[in-house]
Amino acid sequence: MRKKKGAAGYLFFLPGFLFFALFILYPLIRNLIYSFYDFRLTNINHLEFVGWDNYKHVFGDEVFWISIRNIFIYGIISVPGQMILGFLVAYALYQNRPGTKTFRVLYFLPVITSWVVASLIFKYVFADQGFLNYAITGILHLTDRTISWLSEPGKALIVIGALGIWKGVGWAMVIYMAALQGVPKDQYEAASLDGCNAWNQIRYITLPSIRNTTFFIQMMLIIGAFNVFTSVYLITNGGPLHQTEVMLTRMYQKAFSEYDLGYASALSYVFAVIIAGLTAVQFRLNKQE
């Protein structure tokens, strides 16, 4: 009887395992193998073993280091912005006051908005002949010269980072609101009786109580920053001259524009190691704190 129950358990487990093996495990292993070969879409029947050459080319590629720099700039802009604004909005709206439900929906709408639609809207707004330049020059008359928001790398990364903040504040808000519900209200009442102002209540009660939630949000947003692709691809396409390139746009370009799947495979594993390393560092720092 026990053997039959054990066999039934394996049968229930089998479909999920087959799905994982076919669509996740096999592509991962295949991709790792390709990273050691000169494999190009222009001649898929030709596989030439090149060892670590693809990885050497990755680390010797100037655009790779530019993409790393841009990811860190994007993360520095978007991650703190999403966390700070998300917390402030959550703190203001977590109590059931009149109108708060409406504002919760409004702040969450960007989260469910398509990245493609949002990116194209931002591209239109910040284009040289877009709405923002029209407002600055034609309506407000602040300057006679249009500002090249998307042609200058520094400004373009700020625009892309602003889009990331706009898209992610609602997500951080929801997570923070769930955490704030678990903070004992009697602590606030006791602090108020002791004359503690709102800032000190946030500093000494709220933030320590939701510390694990803050760590979770930070970790997820950093991983998300490394996975930025759609906004960069649609707004600047990595230009001008690769100066706004990020890891995924570089990987996409090498795989589907230059058809060098071997290099793209190696780049993907370098990318995965970087993310794994950052995640491990975050966990270690969180334990030390």
Side-chain angles (χ1 to χ4, degrees), residues 78-98:
S78 65
V79 173
Q82 292 174 77
M83 293 182 67
I84 294 171
L85 292 177
F87 171 76
L88 292 176
V89 172
Y91 190 79
L93 298 179
Y94 86 100
Q95 296 178 348
N96 289 320
R97 296 175 180 175

Side-chain angles (χ1 to χ4, degrees), residues 37-171:
Y37 283 84
D38 180 13
F39 177 44
R40 300 177 182 272
L41 281 176
T42 52
N43 189 3
I44 60 175
N45 295 320
H46 174 73
L47 279 176
E48 180 183 351
F49 182 76
V50 293
W52 295 97
D53 283 358
N54 284 324
Y55 290 93
K56 293 177 182 177
H57 291 159
V58 168
F59 289 106
D61 185 2
E62 182 182 358
V63 179
F64 166 75
W65 297 108
I66 292 174
S67 69
I68 293 290
R69 179 202 66 189
N70 291 338
I71 283 180
F72 277 99
I73 294 174
Y74 175 81
I76 290 170
I77 295 171
S78 65
V79 173
Q82 292 174 77
M83 293 182 67
I84 294 171
L85 292 177
F87 171 76
L88 292 176
V89 172
Y91 190 79
L93 298 179
Y94 86 100
Q95 296 178 348
N96 289 320
R97 296 175 180 175
T100 56
K101 291 183 179 179
T102 301
F103 281 101
R104 291 176 189 177
V105 173
L106 292 175
Y107 275 107
F108 192 74
L109 278 177
V111 179
I112 59 176
T113 302
S114 166
W115 270 104
V116 174
V117 173
S119 299
L120 293 177
I121 290 174
F122 266 65
K123 185 175 182 179
Y124 165 73
V125 170
F126 289 95
D128 289 350
Q129 304 300 323
F131 176 78
L132 184 59
N133 274 323
Y134 170 72
I136 292 173
T137 58
I139 299 176
L140 301 176
H141 302 289
L142 297 177
T143 179
D144 296 330
R145 183 178 62 89
T146 59
I147 301 174
S148 299
W149 297 101
L150 305 181
S151 301
E152 299 179 18
K155 291 185 177 70
L157 288 173
I158 292 174
V159 171
I160 294 168
L163 173 56
I165 293 173
W166 182 79
K167 280 281 292 176
V169 165
W171 178 84

Side-chain angles (χ1 to χ4, degrees), residues 31-32 34-37 52-68 71 226 245-255 258 260-275:
N31 195 49
L32 179 62
Y34 287 151
S35 70
F36 294 100
Y37 283 84
W52 295 97
D53 283 358
N54 284 324
Y55 290 93
K56 293 177 182 177
H57 291 159
V58 168
F59 289 106
D61 185 2
E62 182 182 358
V63 179
F64 166 75
W65 297 108
I66 292 174
S67 69
I68 293 290
I71 283 180
F226 270 80
E245 204 84 66
V246 292
M247 292 281 285
L248 290 184
T249 58
R250 182 59 173 167
M251 197 184 308
Y252 181 89
Q253 180 193 38
K254 295 298 290 187
E258 301 179 20
D260 191 351
L261 289 182
Y263 180 101
S265 298
L267 182 58
S268 69
Y269 270 90
V270 172
F271 182 47
V273 169
I274 292 173
I275 293 180

